[in-house]
Amino acid sequence: MEIRDQIRQFAVEGEIKDVREYGSGHINSTSLVETEQMGKRRRYIFQRINTQIFQNVDQLMENITGVTDYLRQELLRQGKDAARGTLQVVLTLSGGHYFRDQDGSCYRMYDFIEDAFCLDAVRNAEDFYQSGLAFGNFQYLLAGYPAHTLHETIPDFHHTGKRYQTFCRVLAADVKGRAASVGPEIAFVQQRAKEMTLLTDLQEAFELPLRVTHNDTKLNNIMIDRQTGEGLCVIDLDTVMPGLSLYDFGDAIRFGANTAAEDEQELSKVSLDLGLYEQYVKGYLRGCQGSLTKRELELLPMGAKLMTLECGMRFLTDYLEGDVYFKIHHPNHNLDRCRTQFALVADMERKWEQMAELVGRYVTC
């Protein structure tokens, strides 16, 4: 089946005029579709879902439609533009949320959000502030959503304790004989073993609430209004799952407040940019509008540290196992990535009191 035939399975308005590849995503194949009806043009996002990663598409789309429907109602209740404030799933001709062709490939479609754009890197502090504001508002709007009803599209995705157990098994097996060459990195992980289950233990003890989490809080998952520069809409909802708010906050800091690239080999360049950290804290807490608990607020710095530690540990695990998960571009790529994350963790530990003080400053504002 040709791509235009697949697109015609959806309730698009008008005649298909143009289809072209779109975006910089690495998981799903994405196209921009343009149609015309009575001289009026309309655009859509069309995606082939990566079913190797997301094997249960019914559950995946149930999560997405449940969350976007809820967001739409909350936005309307607040008198906001729901058409630009959340994704809108386009139904198939038979009323479904996705289409499966005869080869088993699965496709979905969204309305295109006009006059907005995404950024792959922070241009200035305002960008990071707007990212924090958007993700905080996402958390606020979904505070009443029954998170326990969401499916885990990737089980235990941010369960740092289980990630550590996997690391220990891989280390013990040492199938590639690499452990002897990375002693300092192994020791770095082991020295922080007691912290690995801190957040999940608190959640299991009901000291941290289960929430709807995005789990991929990078800057390029925010649509920014082209006219105002404001964070407009959270996109890429494939990893929306039940989890902890600290996961989303922490991963955003790990990705956006690092002064170096994720695979920087010159570790002296790696540090936590406290200015960017402050801007994100300010935006995130403003967006959350008081919806976080006191315990969540206290542990925001720990969320940043543990998400960074977890990411570095995953890179190290993959290196020990022979680079079977993350795509690499040179033999020590995963090791470089691991060392960068661990250098960032170490800098967070040096700046711990400042991190906590900045959270407290904006909690009391």
Side-chain angles (χ1 to χ4, degrees), residues 152-289:
E152 286 193 81
T153 53
I154 304 177
D156 298 320
F157 187 62
H158 279 321
H159 196 301
T160 313
K162 290 187 178 180
R163 294 287 189 185
Y164 179 65
Q165 291 172 6
T166 299
F167 164 78
C168 291
R169 289 196 300 270
V170 170
L171 175 61
D174 194 19
V175 294
K176 296 295 182 180
R178 293 177 170 180
S181 65
V182 289
E185 290 76 20
I186 292 169
F188 190 92
V189 173
Q190 292 174 333
Q191 287 162 7
R192 292 157 180 81
K194 291 183 179 179
E195 294 178 313
M196 300 291 183
T197 61
L198 173 63
L199 300 184
T200 49
D201 284 350
L202 288 172
Q203 190 271 314
E204 290 169 7
F206 303 104
E207 293 186 41
L208 290 174
L210 191 68
R211 295 190 183 274
V212 178
T213 49
H214 185 277
N215 294 297
D216 192 14
T217 48
K218 297 193 295 290
L219 181 65
N220 60 8
N221 283 329
I222 297 293
M223 297 293 291
I224 298 173
D225 188 283
R226 197 173 297 278
Q227 302 302 319
T228 66
E230 296 177 354
L232 183 65
C233 173
V234 174
I235 62 172
D236 193 2
L237 305 179
D238 288 339
T239 53
V240 164
M241 290 181 275
L244 301 177
S245 62
L246 302 170
Y247 297 162
D248 280 359
F249 175 85
D251 207 34
I253 297 300
R254 179 197 71 80
F255 177 81
N258 187 352
T259 57
E262 188 177 66
D263 55 359
E264 175 60 57
Q265 296 181 29
E266 191 174 333
L267 297 182
S268 62
K269 295 181 178 180
V270 179
S271 67
L272 175 71
D273 185 322
L274 282 173
L276 287 177
Y277 173 84
E278 179 177 1
Q279 288 302 310
Y280 194 88
V281 167
K282 180 180 177 181
Y284 186 74
L285 294 185
R286 180 184 173 193
C288 285
Q289 299 185 45

Side-chain angles (χ1 to χ4, degrees), residues 40 69 202:
K40 182 180 179 181
D69 287 348
L202 288 172

